[in-house]
Amino acid sequence: MAVTGSIVFLAIFVGCSYALFADQAGLFDWKQDYVGKVKFLHWEQLPSAGKKVLLASEKNVIASVNAHDGSIVWRKIFESDRRGRIDAFLHHGNAVVSVQAGGQFVRSWHAGSGSLNWEKSLTTDSASWASAFLLEREGKRDRIIVTTSSTMHCLKLSDGLEEWRAELPNSDTVNRWFVQGQSDGFVAVGVTAGQRVTVVSVGVEGKVKQPKNVPAPWIALDTSCVIMEDSKHFVCYSAQTSSLQLLSLEAVSVFIPTDLKELGVATSNDSQIEAVVPELGSTIMFRSLENQLVLMSLTSQQAFSVHKVLDKTYTAQVTKHAEKSILLTLAQAGPESLKLTGVDFTAGTEIEDLSQTFPFAHYHGHPTKLYPFVFTKKKDSSNKPACKLIFSSQDYSLHFVQKNKAQWRREESLSYILTVQMVDLPVSENQAKFEDEFGTKEEDIFAMFIKRLKAQFSQLKVFTMGLMDRVMGHTHHYTVSSDAIEEEEPEEEDLVRDDFNLHKIIVVATASGKIYGIRSHTGKIAWQQFVPDLVPFQRYGQLKLLLLVQRTTAHFPHAPQCTVLGVSKQTGNGLLISFNPVTGALLSGRQGQGHDLGFKVVQAEMLAEMDAEFLKGLILIDDHNKPHIYPESSQSVFKALTMQLFFHLMNSETGIMTGYRLTPSASELSLDEIWTLDLQKSQQTITGVYGKRAIDLVHSQGRVLGDRSVLYKYLNPNLVAVVAEGEEILSSSNNKGPSAFFSLYLIDGVTGHIVHHQTHKRSRGPVKVIHSENWVVYTYFNEKYRRNEVGVLELYEGRQQSNSTAFSSFSPPPPPLVMRQAYIFPEPIYAMASTVTEKGITSKNIILALKIGGVLSLPKALLDPRRPVMPTQETMEEGTIPYVPEIPLSTEALVNYNRSIFNVDGVFTSPAGLESTSLVFVHGIDIFYTRVMPSRMFDVLKEDFDYLFIGSVLGVMILVSFITQKLAARKALNRAWK
Amino acid sequence: MEEPIQFLQFILCMFLFNWNSFACGSDVDDINDRAEFKIEGKVFVAAKDKEWTLNSRVLVDGGEYLGFVRSDGTFVVHGVPSGSYIVEIANPNVLFEALRVDITSKGKMRARRVNFLQPNQVKQASYPLEFRERGKPNYFHKREQWRITDFLFNPMVLTMVVPLLLIMVLPKLMNAADADTQKEMQNQMNALNSRPNVPDASEILSSFFSGGSQPKKAVKAKPVSASKRK
C-alpha cells in the first residue's frame, strides 16, 4: 500500500507496533481479488483471440481475466458511488473503452496491460445514462459514438480526439439515449422517464434534424428497449401491461402495443428484451421466464408473431462464425448438469461439434447470461468449430467451460459480503471421546476406566497411523490427487480444530443470497449454499443481514448451528435459514429455501439462555411490536426466565428512541413501553447505534495510576453509543453556508438515561464508531481545519468502585468521569474495528482500513485520553505516552503490506484459542484475512525459534562437561604419581 | 441494588439507521452552478519500467474523486467542484508526499504542502502538481541473522575470552622462563586443588542416600580422598 508524506516514522512507536518478517508474507494471511457481478464481457481480440476476457462489473470495476485459469491480469477500481458507474464498455483491437457516469468520464485502456491511453470528460451530468458504440465506416472501426444526456460525440479510438459533436434536443429532461448508426447518419431515441420518447435523426457529420416527441407515460429509465436492425422501428417491453410497445421511426406517431398474453407468451418479473437478432430479419429475442426465451418477428402489419419458443433454455446467444450464424443455447441437461447446443440458423441444423454437457452444481442457481467464443480448431484440418464458454449465473458467479469440463469459476458474490462470523472447528474424534468421558456422571468407576482405556487406545492408533503416513511419504496423496481432478474441490485435511484453535470457518452471508463457509487457514471455500429468495433488509438505504451463532461447537455431540435472518423476496416477510456452519448442511426447509416467518421483522436478538439442547433461541419483534420466540423449543426456557428483558427501538424517521420491557413470565408475550427519548429529528438524523460486542471480555476492572491508586472503569454492559448528524444554519453575518455537526450520546439502554452527551461543531461524518470496554473511539472530518480526526472517550467510576460484583442500571454508580481527547488522523478511513481476544488480557489494537489501501493495526495506547501534554514523573510511572496531536502512522504497522485493498465495506475481528492472537477479516471488493498480535507473541515460541541450534548447543555442552571431567581426573591422577 | 428486577444481562439492539452519504459535492454544485474543474499533475518515479504507473491511483480526498496515471506519469482528475482537497498517490511500492489543492469558485487553482497541525500556514507548491518519489515503504522487520562476527564482538564473549586467554597463555610463558617459578606455581596449583572441589555427582548421590544423619561425615571424607590422590 502506499503511504504519503503525512506518515511520520517515530522510533518510539516501533516498539509498540507489530510487523511481519519479510519471509512471513502470505504465511498467515491471504487476499482474494474479485470484480463483482459482471455487467459487460468481451473476449480479447489481440494479440491472440480468446486468451483473455475483458469485463466490467456492477461494483464499478473493469478487469482483464485470464481465460486459462480465471486469474485477474489487471484490474481498475473506480469510485463506488455514481461517478464510477460503468454505462458502456467497448473493446476493439487492443483498446478498451469505458464510458462512466453518464459520459462524465470516457477512458480508453490498453487491453493487454491496463494502462490508460486517454481520458475525456464530456459532461457534468452523471445522473443520466450514457450509451456508446463502435462506428463502422468503410470497413474500419476507428471511431466511437458516445451519447450523453445532451450531446452526441464522435471520438477517435486511437487518441480520443473529438471529430464532431451534436447538441441533442430536450437535453434537460432526457435520461438516456438509444442510438443506432445507419448508412446516412444516426437515429437516436431519447427516453424521458414517465413522460415521452424523443426521436431525432443525426447526419453523418453531426447535423441534427427536427426532433419529434411521442408520449410514453409507461417508460422508465431501466425499461428494456431496442432499435431494430433496419433502424425503422423502436421496441420496448412494458412490464405494467405485459406488452411490447412498437414505434415506427419513419412515421412517428404513437406506440402500438402487442399484448403478449394474446400471443401465448408468458411473462414474469424476469421478462425483458434480450437482444435483436438481425440474422432472422426483424426479430427480437425476448425472455419470458427465467428458463424460457422466445424469438419474435415483426410482421408487416406492425405487430409481432412468435417465431420460435426456446423452452427450458436459460440463456441464448447468436454468434457469427465462418459465414454462419449460430444460435447457442444453454439448457438444463440433468439435475446437476447443463447442455450447450449450437444450431446453424440458416440451415436449421444442429452443429454436433459445439454441443457440450458439463456439470453445474445446484448452489449456483441458474445461468443468466452466455458469453461464447467460437473458433476453428487449428490442429486438425477439418476446420471443425469449437467453443469456449463463459456464463454468469444467478448467484453472480462466473463459469468457464471448455471441452465438456467446467475449468474454473469465480465466486463474485464474495464481493457483496454483508455479515461475517467466525466459528470454531469441532474437536477431533479423539478429543470428543475425552469430552464424552467427563460428560456423563451416572456411570461407575469401572465403566469409566474402560472408557479411558478405549480412548487412549484410539489415540495411540491415530498417532501410529499418523506416524505411518509420515514414514510412507506422500505416496498416498498422489493417488488421491489423481482421482480428485474430476471433483469440485480436491479433498483437503479434515475440518478439525488445531492445537491453538487458530483455524476457523468464516461464515459469510452475501447480498446475492449466497452463504459461504470459508476455511480461515487457506481461504478456500469449504461449503456454499444458495437461497435465491433471500434478500437483505433495506433500511434507510443500507443493506443488512443478520448472522447469529445459535449453538457453538462446544456442545458435542450436538452439531453447531447458525442462522441467517433476511427478507423473503417473494413475500417481504422475515426469512430464516438455519445451517450447520462447519458442514454447511441446511437444517430448516428444503434445499435452497428458508423458513418464511410469516411476519415482517423489525428487530431480532438472541437469548442468552440455552435450552436443553444448548440452543440459544431468537426473539423476533414484528412490525406490530409483537415479540416472537424462535424456535418453539426455546419458548419454555424463555418462560422460565426470572428477569425481564429490555429492548430499545430506534425510529430514525421520527428521531425517537423507545425502550421496551418484556416480562417472560407473563401469560401473553407483549412489549411494555417504559421510556422514550426524543433526539431532535428537526436538527439531526440518527446515523448509528453502537452497543458492545457480547464476546468482548474485560480482564481488568481498573487502571493503576502512577501513585499506586486504582482508577476504576465504568463498565456498563447496557451502554449504547448513538450518533446523530445534522446541519445548523448559521446567522446571516457568516455567509459560509450551513455548517455540519454531529452529536454523540451514551445512553443506558435499560433506563434510557443519558450518561454522556457531546456535540462536535463544524465537523461532519461519516462517523465511524468503536464501542468497547469503557471506551468509545470515533472518527470524523473536521471542517474547520479540513482534516480527519479521531476522538476517544473513556469512562471511569473513580477511585472507588460502587459494586464490584455486578452492574445494575437501576442503581447506577454516580455519573462517570469522562476523559476525552482528539487526535489528528492523517488518512481517511473506510472502516474500523477493535481486536478481540479470548480472555481480554492482551492489550487492544484498532484495525483501520485506510482509503489509501492499507489495513493499519494501531495500538489503543496511542488513543488514550490520559496521554499527558506535560509528562511528569507520575505519568511516566503509569506508562502513558506524551500527547502528540497527530497520530503517527508507520508502514510497518500495515498488516497487509503491499497488498492494497480498496472499497472496504467492513472489518471483522474474532478471538483465537491463543490469548495473544486476534483474527482479522476485511471485506469489500476483495477479501483479506490475517492474524494480529497486539501485545506480540507472548504465549508461544516464535515460529522461527531454532530448536536445532539450541538443542545442539545443549548437547555439546553436556558432552564437553563429561570429557573435561574425565580429562581433569586423569590429569590429577598423573600429577599424583609424580 | 435491591430491586426485584435484578441485573440485566443484555440489551438488544439493532441498527435501523442509515449512513447518510454526506452530500458535500451536491451542495457545492448548488452554490456554484455546477461548475466543475480538473486537477492536473505529474508523478515522477526514477524506475525505468512503467510497471508503477499501472498500480498507481490518484486519490482526491481519499478516493472521492479518482484519477489514473498515464504511462508518461501525468494524470488528470476531471469533474472536481471548487473546494479544498488533499491529493495523494496510492502506490504499494513507492511513497509520495500528499499535496493540498484549493480550487476557488472561479476555477483558480493553488497547490500547497499539507500541514494538518497549522492548516492556515501556506507553503506554496507548484501547479500542475508534481509528486516526487520519497522512498520505498518498509513493511517488514528485518530478521536477525546469526553471524560469527556478531558473536565474537559481543562484549559478554569478549569478557570471557580475554581472561581465558590470560589463564591459558601466561603460565606457558612463565614456564619457559624459570624452573623455580614453575615449582612455585605447581605448589600454588596444588593448594588450589586441595580445596574442596565441586562435589562429584556420585558423591552427592551417595551422601543423599546415606541419610540425613551423616552429612558431616561426607564432607569430612572429601578432603581426605582429595589428599590421597595427590
Side-chain angles (χ1 to χ4, degrees):
Chain A
M1 99 103 239
V3 177
T4 58
S6 50
I7 293 184
V8 182
F9 303 89
L10 280 188
I12 177 174
F13 300 115
V14 172
C16 307
S17 71
Y18 154 82
L20 287 166
F21 296 114
D23 50 63
Q24 284 179 326
L27 211 59
F28 312 118
D29 57 301
W30 46 261
K31 182 184 169 229
Q32 292 171 10
D33 294 352
Y34 292 97
V35 292
K37 185 186 180 183
V38 172
K39 218 160 146 186
F40 304 100
L41 190 146
H42 299 288
W43 288 87
E44 196 179 72
Q45 296 161 354
L46 289 173
S48 53
K51 289 272 189 265
K52 286 183 227 160
V53 287
L54 299 157
L55 45 88
S57 80
E58 275 190 348
K59 280 267 178 188
N60 304 345
V61 174
I62 63 168
S64 170
V65 170
N66 196 332
H68 178 65
D69 55 1
S71 60
I72 290 176
V73 182
W74 55 262
R75 185 177 67 153
K76 301 284 161 191
I77 303 167
F78 302 107
E79 294 97 328
S80 50
D81 59 359
R82 70 180 189 194
R83 281 174 66 94
R85 189 191 64 227
I86 299 162
D87 287 344
F89 188 62
L90 308 171
H91 173 46
H92 179 71
N94 57 9
V96 192
V97 179
S98 60
V99 180
Q100 288 165 292
Q104 191 167 20
F105 308 103
V106 182
R107 295 181 173 114
S108 168
W109 311 85
H110 186 262
S113 65
S115 67
L116 182 65
N117 291 338
W118 51 263
E119 184 176 350
K120 259 196 126 55
S121 181
L122 302 178
T123 177
T124 55
D125 173 25
S126 58
S128 56
W129 290 8
S131 65
F133 64 95
L134 282 161
L135 186 61
E136 197 165 352
R137 284 275 184 268
E138 293 140 17
K140 277 198 283 184
R141 295 177 141 196
D142 53 356
R143 307 269 191 283
I144 54 169
I145 300 289
V146 181
T147 323
T148 68
S149 62
S150 57
T151 47
M152 186 193 260
H153 303 258
C154 178
L155 306 175
K156 267 189 177 168
L157 189 58
S158 53
D159 52 7
L161 275 182
E162 190 174 276
E163 293 238 308
W164 51 263
R165 62 184 287 169
E167 299 288 334
L168 295 173
N170 292 356
S171 60
D172 47 339
T173 55
V174 171
N175 300 109
R176 71 187 287 200
W177 289 92
F178 290 90
V179 188
Q180 193 161 48
Q182 52 192 42
S183 54
D184 56 342
F186 307 92
V187 58
V189 182
V191 171
T192 307
Q195 290 180 33
R196 60 175 174 271
V197 297
T198 307
V199 181
V200 68
S201 66
V202 181
V204 181
E205 293 299 317
K207 254 195 153 167
V208 180
K209 287 171 194 151
Q210 194 56 38
K212 291 167 196 166
N213 291 334
V214 182
W218 42 267
I219 207 157
L221 182 59
D222 55 351
T223 301
S224 68
C225 298
V226 284
I227 299 176
M228 299 295 260
E229 184 64 12
D230 56 6
S231 297
K232 284 181 186 138
H233 295 95
F234 181 67
V235 188
C236 291
Y237 169 69
S238 160
Q240 294 103 312
T241 54
S242 303
S243 60
L244 288 175
Q245 303 276 356
L246 179 77
L247 179 71
S248 171
L249 297 179
E250 283 180 332
V252 180
S253 53
V254 72
F255 276 96
I256 304 163
T258 307
D259 195 354
L260 289 170
K261 282 203 188 88
E262 286 174 15
L263 290 174
V265 176
T267 53
S268 68
N269 288 337
D270 299 316
S271 292
Q272 59 170 347
I273 300 171
E274 294 260 302
V276 252
V277 189
E279 289 81 0
L280 283 178
S282 298
T283 305
I284 55 165
M285 192 191 291
F286 179 75
R287 173 178 291 280
S288 64
L289 303 172
E290 63 178 29
N291 61 351
Q292 190 181 55
L293 292 161
V294 184
L295 291 171
M296 286 196 276
S297 305
L298 186 63
T299 58
S300 52
Q301 285 88 38
Q302 304 281 323
F304 281 95
S305 65
V306 175
H307 178 79
K308 193 179 179 184
V309 177
L310 303 169
D311 213 4
K312 295 205 170 62
T313 303
Y314 289 118
T315 171
Q317 190 79 32
V318 180
T319 56
K320 266 208 153 118
H321 176 68
E323 306 299 312
K324 279 191 282 192
S325 302
I326 301 166
L327 175 73
L328 289 160
T329 56
L330 201 57
Q332 195 88 40
E336 298 257 306
S337 66
L338 291 175
K339 190 175 193 311
L340 176 78
T341 327
V343 178
D344 188 339
F345 242 152
T346 37
T349 52
E350 192 177 323
I351 304 169
E352 290 289 330
D353 299 313
L354 292 177
S355 291
Q356 294 188 35
T357 310
F358 50 88
F360 181 73
H362 64 85
Y363 46 69
H364 295 303
H366 58 77
T368 51
K369 193 135 176 64
L370 188 67
Y371 306 97
F373 180 74
V374 183
F375 59 100
T376 311
K377 275 186 196 165
K378 279 175 190 158
K379 279 177 190 162
D380 44 31
S381 54
S382 57
N383 278 341
K384 278 183 180 170
C387 182
K388 287 181 185 177
L389 179 70
I390 286 185
F391 65 92
S392 60
S393 71
Q394 209 184 356
D395 67 338
Y396 302 173
S397 59
L398 204 62
H399 303 249
F400 176 84
V401 176
Q402 194 181 10
K403 294 176 188 156
N404 294 324
K405 249 185 224 165
Q407 306 270 17
W408 52 261
R409 66 161 196 272
R410 296 184 58 85
E411 294 288 347
E412 294 300 341
S413 57
L414 281 173
S415 58
Y416 295 83
I417 292 174
L418 292 179
T419 170
V420 186
Q421 284 288 347
M422 287 197 200
V423 180
D424 295 351
L425 288 167
V427 291
S428 66
E429 214 173 305
N430 273 309
Q431 287 194 303
K433 271 183 194 156
F434 282 121
E435 303 257 323
D436 194 32
E437 201 175 317
F438 300 109
T440 48
K441 287 166 192 158
E442 298 87 46
E443 285 170 316
D444 55 8
I445 293 170
F446 186 69
M448 278 174 78
F449 181 67
I450 297 284
K451 240 184 187 176
R452 159 56 60 93
L453 279 183
K454 270 188 190 162
Q456 285 188 336
F457 178 72
S458 70
Q459 204 176 16
L460 187 75
K461 212 168 81 181
V462 169
F463 177 72
T464 46
M465 296 261 273
L467 214 63
M468 292 274 277
D469 267 2
R470 209 178 270 188
V471 170
M472 303 287 269
H474 298 285
T475 48
H476 174 68
H477 279 273
Y478 279 119
T479 53
V480 168
S481 60
S482 61
D483 291 341
I485 292 169
E486 284 298 315
E487 268 182 50
E488 280 273 290
E489 248 108 65
E491 202 62 39
E492 279 183 77
E493 80 271 35
D494 290 336
L495 286 167
V496 169
R497 190 180 298 188
D498 58 327
D499 291 343
F500 296 132
N501 196 8
L502 290 168
H503 302 176
K504 304 222 176 192
I505 286 277
I506 306 172
V507 181
V508 298
T510 67
S512 66
K514 197 133 188 206
I515 305 163
Y516 290 94
I518 304 169
R519 288 165 198 266
S520 73
H521 184 45
T522 57
K524 291 210 173 105
I525 293 166
W527 54 264
Q528 46 190 316
Q529 289 289 352
F530 181 47
V531 185
D533 272 354
L534 178 70
V535 285
F537 289 100
Q538 208 158 10
R539 293 235 160 90
Y540 316 112
Q542 201 187 6
L543 297 178
K544 272 241 176 288
L545 276 176
L546 263 92
L547 176 57
L548 303 156
V549 184
Q550 283 191 287
R551 182 162 54 210
T552 62
T553 323
H555 306 289
F556 186 82
H558 298 286
Q561 184 173 339
C562 276
T563 296
V564 170
L565 175 63
V567 176
S568 167
K569 198 192 274 176
Q570 310 289 343
T571 60
N573 294 330
L575 188 74
L576 283 178
I577 298 112
S578 296
F579 54 91
N580 179 336
V582 177
T583 62
L586 285 181
L587 301 174
S588 68
R590 289 189 292 120
Q591 194 68 267
Q593 281 188 330
H595 170 73
D596 195 319
L597 288 167
F599 54 86
K600 290 188 170 57
V601 179
V602 174
Q603 171 121 333
E605 194 48 67
M606 203 159 59
L607 283 169
E609 303 296 312
M610 291 183 282
D611 67 4
E613 294 188 313
F614 306 102
L615 195 73
K616 287 180 182 174
L618 301 179
I619 303 180
L620 306 158
I621 295 175
D622 65 16
D623 49 350
H624 303 295
N625 279 359
K626 192 178 174 339
H628 301 260
I629 310 284
Y630 176 88
E632 287 297 314
S633 60
S634 294
Q635 198 102 30
S636 55
V637 180
F638 179 72
K639 288 273 182 199
L641 289 179
T642 48
M643 60 196 170
Q644 295 169 322
L645 303 180
F646 291 84
F647 286 86
H648 57 86
L649 295 179
M650 181 72 87
N651 190 337
S652 91
E653 273 167 10
T654 57
I656 290 175
M657 191 177 179
T658 319
Y660 295 95
R661 179 174 58 191
L662 182 61
T663 315
S665 48
S667 54
E668 197 180 332
L669 283 182
S670 65
L671 291 178
D672 310 325
E673 191 177 314
I674 46 174
W675 54 268
T676 56
L677 196 62
D678 189 353
L679 294 174
Q680 306 299 321
K681 168 65 190 165
S682 55
Q683 291 160 23
Q684 57 190 18
T685 327
I686 295 151
T687 53
V689 178
Y690 307 88
K692 294 178 189 176
R693 288 179 72 177
I695 56 164
D696 197 6
L697 298 175
V698 183
H699 179 71
S700 163
Q701 294 273 304
R703 264 177 84 154
V704 181
L705 303 184
D707 59 358
R708 298 285 183 273
S709 64
V710 176
L711 190 60
Y712 285 100
K713 292 175 183 171
Y714 177 80
L715 296 168
N716 182 349
N718 309 324
L719 200 67
V720 289
V722 178
V723 176
E725 292 175 32
E727 269 185 2
E728 61 185 336
I729 314 299
L730 293 178
S731 56
S732 55
S733 60
N734 188 347
N735 53 359
K736 277 187 175 174
S739 99
F741 73 95
F742 73 90
S743 306
L744 183 78
Y745 300 87
L746 296 178
I747 296 169
D748 189 305
V750 169
T751 57
H753 171 66
I754 297 180
V755 176
H756 177 68
H757 166 226
Q758 65 182 35
T759 302
H760 284 260
K761 294 226 159 128
R762 297 198 63 184
S763 299
R764 63 174 154 87
V767 183
K768 308 268 180 351
V769 177
I770 305 176
H771 186 189
S772 172
E773 286 191 33
N774 64 328
W775 50 264
V776 178
V777 168
Y778 52 99
T779 60
Y780 55 93
F781 185 80
N782 186 328
E783 280 191 331
K784 188 177 176 193
Y785 295 111
R786 290 188 302 234
R787 63 193 181 198
N788 289 289
E789 292 182 355
V790 52
V792 55
L793 297 179
E794 279 191 12
L795 293 96
Y796 291 99
E797 282 191 16
R799 309 259 162 147
Q800 258 99 42
Q801 199 172 17
S802 61
N803 188 344
S804 61
T805 51
F807 188 94
S808 168
S809 287
F810 290 112
S811 58
L817 302 166
V818 180
M819 298 182 177
R820 49 187 156 173
Q821 245 167 24
Y823 297 89
I824 301 167
F825 197 77
E827 290 292 328
I829 66 161
Y830 288 115
M832 63 177 181
S834 93
T835 57
V836 205
T837 51
E838 178 103 11
K839 297 269 182 272
I841 299 167
T842 310
S843 58
K844 290 203 178 240
N845 268 22
I846 289 167
I847 310 290
L848 302 118
L850 307 180
K851 287 200 171 169
I852 201 160
V855 178
L856 183 83
S857 178
L858 187 77
K860 168 71 178 59
L862 287 175
L863 296 174
D864 182 351
R866 296 182 47 76
R867 284 175 66 175
V869 180
M870 295 294 289
T872 60
Q873 189 67 36
E874 212 161 89
T875 61
M876 276 165 57
E877 191 98 334
E878 196 189 329
T880 45
I881 308 160
Y883 182 84
V884 186
E886 194 168 341
I887 297 281
L889 306 186
S890 148
T891 51
E892 285 191 354
L894 296 170
V895 292
N896 64 337
Y897 43 103
N898 63 358
R899 298 174 157 193
S900 300
I901 172 163
F902 296 104
N903 293 10
V904 173
D905 294 332
V907 179
F908 180 83
T909 55
S910 166
L914 278 178
E915 173 54 32
S916 65
T917 310
S918 182
L919 309 175
V920 176
F921 182 73
V922 182
H923 57 94
I925 285 185
D926 305 334
I927 56 177
F928 174 75
Y929 167 88
T930 191
R931 49 170 101 149
V932 292
M933 282 144 242
S935 305
R936 303 194 154 218
M937 237 178 180
F938 59 81
D939 47 6
V940 273
L941 288 174
K942 279 188 198 157
E943 77 295 322
D944 64 332
F945 184 80
D946 204 338
Y947 294 95
L948 197 73
F949 182 72
I950 303 279
S952 58
V953 164
L954 202 67
V956 168
M957 296 283 250
I958 291 168
L959 203 72
V960 165
S961 68
F962 266 101
I963 292 169
T964 48
Q965 197 181 18
K966 281 273 153 63
L967 285 175
R970 194 196 286 172
K971 199 173 181 189
L973 190 67
N974 284 344
R975 205 176 286 147
W977 276 108
K978 265 182 194 167
Chain B
M1 265 174 268
E2 293 83 25
E3 307 273 350
I5 315 115
Q6 294 89 1
F7 40 86
L8 312 151
Q9 290 187 322
F10 39 80
I11 277 302
L12 315 172
C13 61
M14 192 176 177
F15 305 97
L16 310 165
F17 316 98
N18 82 19
W19 292 95
N20 280 2
S21 57
F22 54 97
C24 154
S26 58
D27 287 352
V28 181
D29 280 1
D30 295 342
I31 296 162
N32 297 318
D33 201 25
R34 293 184 149 219
E36 288 185 347
F37 309 100
K38 58 185 181 185
I39 299 173
E40 288 174 285
K42 188 165 183 181
V43 187
F44 297 92
V45 172
K48 276 206 179 102
D49 64 337
K50 296 292 169 196
E51 182 68 32
W52 64 271
T53 58
L54 299 178
N55 49 22
S56 293
R57 284 152 61 95
V58 182
L59 307 180
V60 179
D61 269 11
E64 210 128 307
Y65 310 96
L66 265 182
F68 295 88
V69 180
R70 263 173 260 164
S71 51
D72 59 352
T74 58
F75 66 86
V76 183
V77 182
H78 288 284
V80 185
S82 66
S84 174
Y85 303 94
I86 289 181
V87 183
E88 47 195 340
I89 310 290
N91 186 308
N93 303 318
V94 192
L95 289 175
F96 297 97
E97 199 167 342
L99 291 170
R100 186 184 282 282
V101 174
D102 302 314
I103 308 174
T104 63
S105 55
K106 282 174 190 141
K108 267 197 154 181
M109 315 288 272
R110 180 178 71 168
R112 54 191 170 115
R113 296 272 189 87
V114 174
N115 188 344
F116 287 122
L117 278 175
Q118 292 156 297
N120 296 326
Q121 207 174 58
V122 178
K123 239 184 178 178
Q124 286 270 7
S126 64
Y127 186 88
L129 305 175
E130 284 180 12
F131 288 94
R132 290 186 193 278
E133 185 179 354
R134 270 186 70 243
K136 303 244 179 289
N138 176 30
Y139 298 116
F140 301 111
H141 276 323
K142 265 236 165 94
R143 203 183 270 288
E144 282 171 30
Q145 278 179 323
W146 196 86
R147 264 185 253 110
I148 190 82
T149 47
D150 286 0
F151 176 74
L152 284 181
F153 293 111
N154 191 325
M156 288 293 279
V157 175
L158 282 178
T159 50
M160 282 178 65
V161 166
V162 172
L164 200 75
L165 279 174
L166 287 176
I167 291 168
M168 300 292 280
V169 178
L170 277 179
K172 288 265 159 73
L173 292 172
M174 285 155 84
N175 282 354
D178 190 11
D180 287 344
T181 47
Q182 196 181 345
K183 219 167 211 174
E184 211 169 285
M185 282 288 291
Q186 192 97 39
N187 286 338
Q188 276 177 6
M189 288 296 278
N190 285 349
L192 266 174
N193 276 351
S194 68
R195 274 209 208 130
N197 216 328
V198 182
D200 204 50
S202 59
E203 279 171 337
I204 294 174
L205 279 179
S206 64
S207 67
F208 180 75
F209 284 116
S210 57
S213 59
Q214 294 151 314
K216 279 175 190 170
K217 248 187 188 173
V219 174
K220 266 180 196 168
K222 250 192 264 168
V224 175
S225 65
S227 59
K228 256 185 197 170
R229 265 189 215 159
K230 283 168 231 158

